[in-house]
Each structure stands twice: as C-alpha cells, then as structure tokens.
Amino acid sequence: MKSLNVGLVFFLSLLVWGVYAETASSPLKKSEALPSYQQDAELIRTTYERNLYTLPAFKMGHYGLRMYRQTQDAKYSAAIWSDMARVASRLNKFATEVNTPEEIKAYSATRIQNYGKKTDVRGKLRYAATRSQPEYLYLGVDLLGSMARANEYGLKHREDKLLREVIRRYDFAKYATDPAMIRAWAAQLANQVYWLRQLGEQDVVNEFIEAFKVTYPDSKDAELTDQQFMNKIYGLTHIIFAASEYYQHSINEKDFQWVYGYYRNNIDTIIERSKEDVIAEVGINFLLAGLDNDPVVEKTRKAIQGAIDRDAGMVPSVKGESELLDGEHRNVLTIMLLDWRGAHEVPTVSKQPEIFSSVPYGLIPQ
C-alpha cells in the first residue's frame, strides 16, 4: 500500500511538471512582457535611419531636426543641412519671383487649384475656407514657415527686409480669427501666429486662441465628427508646440492650464477618437511641461506602444500601411514620446557653428 502511494505521488508530480513545462514554453505566456518604451523607440529609430537619406528633403529635415533637438547627435547634421537648403530655395524663389501683389496672386491661384482637386474631407474644408483668400497659402503655409525656420537656426534671408514688407501688407487676424479657417487649418494657424510673434511681426496669438475657443467649445465635443474632433486636438497640441518653438523651450503648465485641464478630463476620449499622431502629440505636450509622471503620459505611451507593428518596425497607418514616407510624422513623434530627452535650443549658428560652416546660398547670419 505504501509503495502504491509513493507511485501515485510520483505520477502526479510528473503530471504537474508536464503542465508547468507546457505553460512555461507557451508563446502567449512568454510574449506577455512587452519591450520597454525606449526599446520600441530604438526599433523605430533603426527603421527610419536605415533609410533616412532616401526620403525627400522636407521629410528628412523634419525627422533630422527633431532628433537633433532631442539628442544633439552630429549624425543628423546632413539632414539639417538638407532642411536649410530647402528653406533657402523657397525663400530665394519668393525674394526673386513671388513678392509683388500680381506675382502672389498668380502663385496663390495655382496653389488653390490643387486643393480644388482634393476629395477627402479635410481637403474639401480647406478649399472651401481658402478659395476666397488664396494668398493665405503663400503667406501662412509657405512664407512664414520658411522664415521662422531660418530664424530658429539664427539665420535670415539676404532679402529679409523685402520679405518682411510682404508680410506687413496683410492683416493676419483675418485668417487667424475666421471660424471656417480654424475648422480647416487649426494646427497650421497655431504655428503661424506664433511664427509671426517669433519674427517680431504682427502678434495675433491671443486673438487666435480666443477665436479657437469660440469655434471649438468643449461642451460641443460630442457634436463634432471624428475629423473635426482631431482638428481641434491638433490645434491644441500645436499651440503648445509652437509656444515651445518646436521642442526648444520648456512650457509652463500654468500658462496653458486650460489646455492641460482639457487633456486630463478628456484623455480617454482623445485616445478613442484620434489617430496615433494626435495621441503622441498630447503626450509630448505634457513632457514639454515637465509632467513626465502625469497619468496622461502613461496612457498615451501605452496606446502608442500597442499600435506598433514590430515586424514592420514602426507604427503603421490606421489602414495598416507601413510606408516610410507617409509614416514619418507619426513615427518621429512616437520616438519622442517613448524616449523623451528634453527641450533644447539647438542647432543654432552660434552654438553649433560646425553644422553651419557652409550655409546654402541666400541665407546669412542674423
């Protein structure tokens, strides 16, 4: 009887060990532990940096400048030079070919025609809002962004005086306070009013913010389409980004309490109704304010980490596409959100002269 009991115990031990071994070797159990946020950021960084110099100048510069401001790594210098060349080329064209009222009118007419061909909701909104004032595409979308980028580098165009005279012909409040324009261009207008302030030109930041609040009252969020809800959130995130001069300066939460309070009250809705770009931008807004430990940051990081396709090495589009060019914006934001390195006022011609040893034609030190 004793030997029977011993045998039974031995048999049960083998059975338990078999169950344990099977469980331990189960792929589902082993894969429960996700990589760290930094590891996932590095995965995406590797994907993009293998192919960085195959991207167009705008995308290459967009990625390289953000990574340099995060890391100060000299390997991004060539991408920054490419961005400078793009800025110089555009400002050279405007200074020599597109600066009289007639030239601006012809240039803007061509630009608005392209928007007239768009069939998506956003494209249609932009065409409807801008067709009666197409000069906005020249002034806000093209000229101001290039002048502001040069300014951030500590540079200006050799015809800076002429280009500033062009800006002063227009009252930017006309665009920045128009509800239809805000519904079509919220994030872009946020950039542009801060660029004007940065350049020491017309200051309509406060007027834009007040018009934005009237256009998108928080009490009406439920009435917004997903496209319009995301346009609102993009507008909010770009107010913070533009105020920081794009990751160069920290933000004081108290200066934008209305924004941060809104995020905290609505983060679950934002994650549910928004694309990954928008979610990542909300998280980075908190990081810019030094709020690394705020629960909103963790929620955005978890949402973004859950969207990563590790076989593709990136966050794909909402349609599951993993095309490098179209995915650059959301993926560089993902890297920054998951592996934040702080705000840094770089690169500038005075602090990093080695990057600016050969400045593209048309740009000069301020």
Side-chain angles (χ1 to χ4, degrees):
M1 185 62 138
K2 184 177 179 181
S3 62
L4 180 62
N5 287 340
V6 171
L8 183 61
V9 169
F10 180 70
F11 173 75
L12 291 173
S13 297
L14 288 175
L15 185 63
V16 170
W17 172 253
V19 171
Y20 170 80
E22 182 180 355
T23 302
S25 64
S26 167
L28 291 175
K29 295 293 181 182
K30 289 174 71 174
S31 66
E32 281 182 353
L34 289 171
S36 70
Y37 294 138
Q38 290 79 11
Q39 287 171 327
D40 274 335
E42 185 58 31
L43 171 68
I44 297 170
R45 192 165 19 232
T46 299
T47 299
Y48 269 86
E49 293 181 14
R50 282 199 198 107
N51 302 281
L52 183 58
Y53 294 101
T54 68
L55 297 178
F58 176 75
K59 292 290 186 179
M60 186 194 311
H62 185 274
Y63 181 95
L65 177 58
R66 280 151 181 75
M67 287 295 95
Y68 188 88
R69 284 181 176 165
Q70 284 284 284
T71 67
Q72 294 82 66
D73 192 321
K75 70 181 179 180
Y76 300 112
S77 298
I80 292 168
W81 198 95
S82 176
D83 184 62
M84 275 195 294
R86 179 190 63 82
V87 168
S89 176
R90 176 166 281 182
L91 293 178
N92 288 339
K93 177 180 178 69
F94 293 158
T96 58
E97 301 175 21
V98 191
N99 54 73
T100 68
E102 295 76 19
E103 290 166 346
I104 293 170
K105 183 177 180 180
Y107 176 93
S108 303
T110 300
R111 290 279 276 117
I112 196 64
Q113 282 177 8
N114 292 329
Y115 274 95
K117 299 172 186 175
K118 294 183 181 294
T119 58
D120 61 295
V121 173
R122 186 180 67 176
K124 290 180 177 180
L125 277 171
R126 290 181 172 179
Y127 178 70
T130 318
R131 62 183 173 183
S132 63
Q133 44 196 357
E135 72 282 354
Y136 166 78
L137 297 173
Y138 165 84
L139 175 66
V141 177
D142 294 344
L143 177 59
L144 279 176
S146 297
M147 290 181 70
R149 179 63 56 79
N151 177 267
E152 290 168 13
Y153 289 143
L155 303 170
K156 63 181 180 180
H157 193 264
R158 60 191 298 165
E159 296 294 342
D160 182 68
K161 182 179 178 181
L162 169 64
L163 296 175
R164 287 176 180 270
E165 288 173 356
V166 171
I167 290 174
R168 292 168 190 164
R169 293 179 203 155
Y170 302 92
D171 178 6
F172 205 81
K174 172 185 176 183
Y175 317 110
T177 61
D178 180 347
M181 289 290 285
I182 292 171
R183 285 190 286 268
W185 302 95
Q188 291 73 21
L189 287 167
N191 290 340
Q192 292 148 11
V193 296
Y194 274 97
W195 287 337
L196 278 169
R197 175 185 279 182
Q198 175 185 324
L199 291 168
E201 295 296 334
Q202 185 182 11
D203 191 340
V204 290
V205 169
N206 293 335
E207 290 93 326
F208 166 72
I209 289 175
E210 288 308 310
F212 180 91
K213 290 178 178 178
V214 171
T215 304
Y216 287 121
D218 297 346
S219 60
K220 298 293 183 70
D221 278 2
E223 299 175 20
L224 297 175
T225 63
D226 284 347
Q227 190 278 332
Q228 276 297 285
F229 181 75
M230 280 193 287
N231 190 63
K232 173 181 178 173
I233 309 303
Y234 260 135
L236 291 173
T237 61
H238 281 247
I239 287 170
I240 303 298
F241 286 160
S244 76
E245 293 190 6
Y246 274 82
Y247 325 112
Q248 292 192 88
H249 310 289
S250 296
I251 293 296
N252 185 340
E253 178 188 359
K254 292 180 180 178
D255 294 338
F256 298 95
Q257 199 65 64
W258 65 281
V259 177
Y260 289 98
Y262 175 83
Y263 287 154
R264 291 188 178 103
N265 292 334
N266 296 278
I267 185 57
D268 293 335
T269 303
I270 291 170
I271 290 172
E272 180 184 349
R273 299 186 67 185
S274 303
K275 295 180 181 179
E276 282 76 17
D277 309 59
V278 183
I279 298 168
E281 288 191 357
V282 171
I284 296 170
N285 276 188
F286 278 79
L287 296 172
L288 279 167
L291 302 169
D292 303 46
N293 297 320
D294 194 287
V296 168
V297 175
E298 183 66 9
K299 285 189 174 186
T300 59
R301 282 174 168 165
K302 282 189 177 299
I304 293 299
Q305 188 179 52
I308 294 172
D309 180 339
R310 292 188 175 80
D311 291 332
M314 65 186 299
V315 177
S317 72
V318 292
K319 296 179 180 178
E321 298 164 339
S322 54
E323 207 278 323
L324 288 171
L325 177 61
D326 293 338
E328 182 274 330
H329 180 263
R330 66 177 167 274
N331 280 282
V332 75
L333 289 167
T334 295
I335 295 169
M336 294 169 69
L337 174 67
L338 298 182
D339 189 19
W340 179 249
R341 308 285 183 88
H344 303 97
E345 192 178 352
V346 294
T348 67
V349 69
S350 58
K351 292 181 180 178
Q352 288 78 30
E354 66 281 1
I355 294 180
F356 301 90
S357 59
S358 175
V359 176
Y361 176 80
L363 297 178
I364 59 175
Q366 290 178 8

